[in-house]
Amino acid sequence: MYVIKRDGRLEKFDMMKIIHTCSRSGVPEDVARNIAKEVQNEIYNRIPSEEVYKIVLEKLKKFQRSNAYLYKLRDAVSYIEPTAFEKFTKRILDSMGYKSIWNMIIQGKCIDHQVDVVAEKESKKYLVECKRHTNPHRFCGLGVGLQVQARLEDILDGYKCGMNKYNFYRAWIFTNTKFSEHIIKYASAKNILLTGWRYPQGNGLENLIQKSHLLPVTLLPISKSLKITLQINNMITLKDFISSKRRTLERLGISDNRINSLKKLSQDMLNKI
């Protein structure tokens, strides 16, 4: 039995992938295995991966509403606005014990550079580049690595000339997608840290999000325009939304009953991690 991926590739259907996905959304292992068996019985050969996704999502919804939304985490992160994704990355780094500053202009030897996040831990500074892609199924390619390395080298040259105070230890790329083989090889050779979807294994972006309890507000079942409005108002995570004053949310056009239901759903999702 084969599944057609979004990029047209054929991949053998793997029940374990369904089980792992369901488990990550918070359902017990026995429920995850039952869901995987049901999915296997319902699919057909060469089924598009999007259809498999919909089948799993419907079954998760039957189990519990909040778990179904957690399953949509990958899509939800792709809905975070670019600037909000930089702030989101900063918050993740802060939760990991880094001292970080968002959006800095640093003078290099040749030109000035806008750095998304400067992070520091144990006296080591990191130049952090944030790449949010609207298509979560694409790959972050070599071009990003080349660009970040060139920026790092110019800033380090500027440091040696006394033009800035940032003697960066390493560059670090955060993205919501997977990495291509080329950028992984290049990053290894150039000592660039990579954090993306399911990379590095066991410590990818999805793991860091759940470990830090920083679920994005884009998980909520609200309109695209409202998701953008919340982020503009610095409500980037569910915790931000829960702690927001009712008066502020009402000014954004959310009714009193809707505020109650959304805050309850937000707390339910956080409780599932």
Side-chain angles (χ1 to χ4, degrees):
M1 193 81 74
Y2 286 88
V3 175
I4 302 176
K5 306 291 285 185
R6 288 197 180 189
D7 59 6
R9 290 181 296 112
L10 280 177
E11 187 177 276
K12 273 191 175 183
F13 175 74
D14 186 353
M15 276 185 61
M16 289 306 299
K17 283 191 175 182
I18 306 295
I19 293 170
H20 290 156
T21 298
C22 293
S23 296
R24 283 196 300 271
S25 76
V27 303
E29 185 178 347
D30 58 335
V31 176
R33 290 186 178 277
N34 286 337
I35 289 175
K37 287 178 183 177
E38 290 179 12
V39 172
Q40 185 181 40
N41 292 333
E42 293 182 23
I43 65 170
Y44 54 88
N45 194 32
R46 292 176 176 257
I47 184 173
S49 59
E50 295 93 337
E51 286 192 33
V52 178
Y53 173 87
K54 288 177 182 177
I55 294 171
V56 175
L57 187 58
E58 284 303 313
K59 294 187 180 300
L60 281 171
K61 281 181 180 178
K62 289 178 183 178
F63 177 73
Q64 196 164 28
R65 192 179 177 207
S66 57
N67 283 318
Y69 285 117
L70 283 177
Y71 179 58
K72 297 174 72 173
L73 180 60
R74 189 176 189 180
D75 287 332
V77 176
S78 72
Y79 300 147
I80 301 176
E81 292 296 295
T83 299
F85 184 71
E86 294 172 9
K87 295 178 180 179
F88 185 65
T89 299
K90 177 192 179 305
R91 294 192 189 185
I92 290 174
L93 288 166
D94 288 342
S95 75
M96 296 166 65
Y98 290 86
K99 293 180 180 178
S100 56
I101 303 173
W102 168 69
N103 191 28
M104 294 195 67
I105 302 296
I106 300 177
Q107 186 176 1
K109 184 177 180 181
C110 302
I111 59 172
D112 290 346
H113 299 272
Q114 184 171 12
V115 178
D116 295 337
V117 179
V118 172
E120 184 174 352
K121 191 175 185 180
E122 298 175 353
S123 300
K124 293 177 180 177
K125 291 185 175 68
Y126 299 80
L127 183 156
V128 182
E129 179 78 8
C130 305
K131 290 293 181 184
R132 190 277 285 159
H133 300 286
T134 53
N135 178 4
H137 300 281
R138 64 169 291 178
F139 285 87
C140 185
L142 177 61
V144 175
L146 294 171
Q147 179 189 54
V148 172
Q149 184 63 21
R151 179 173 298 153
L152 175 68
E153 290 175 0
D154 189 44
I155 290 174
L156 289 176
D157 286 343
Y159 171 79
K160 293 171 185 176
C161 296
M163 302 170 74
N164 69 65
K165 61 179 181 180
Y166 294 94
N167 184 21
F168 284 114
Y169 172 60
R170 303 174 76 174
W172 194 345
I173 300 172
F174 267 78
T175 185
N176 62 313
T177 65
K178 295 180 179 180
F179 292 102
S180 70
E181 291 184 9
H182 285 102
I183 191 174
I184 290 173
K185 286 182 179 179
Y186 182 78
S188 177
K190 294 295 184 179
N191 202 31
I192 300 173
L193 282 171
L194 298 179
T195 296
W197 202 258
R198 297 184 187 174
Y199 191 90
Q201 188 174 4
N203 210 30
L205 181 61
E206 74 283 5
N207 301 115
L208 298 182
I209 289 172
Q210 296 193 58
K211 287 176 184 177
S212 62
H213 284 62
L214 292 172
L215 295 178
V217 74
T218 47
L219 273 170
L220 292 175
I222 54 180
S223 67
K224 181 180 179 181
S225 60
L226 182 54
K227 288 177 182 179
I228 293 172
T229 299
L230 291 176
Q231 293 174 71
I232 291 172
N233 285 271
N234 217 30
M235 289 177 240
I236 300 170
T237 69
L238 295 184
K239 287 183 178 180
D240 298 330
F241 184 79
I242 291 171
S243 63
S244 296
K245 293 181 179 179
R246 187 172 296 273
R247 188 179 304 171
T248 301
L249 296 173
E250 288 174 346
R251 280 202 298 265
L252 298 179
I254 310 176
S255 68
D256 192 57
N257 288 338
R258 186 70 166 145
I259 291 171
N260 290 336
S261 63
L262 289 174
K263 286 199 174 189
K264 183 181 183 304
L265 177 59
S266 298
Q267 193 59 60
D268 287 344
M269 283 191 275
L270 287 171
N271 290 342
K272 288 296 173 185
I273 301 177

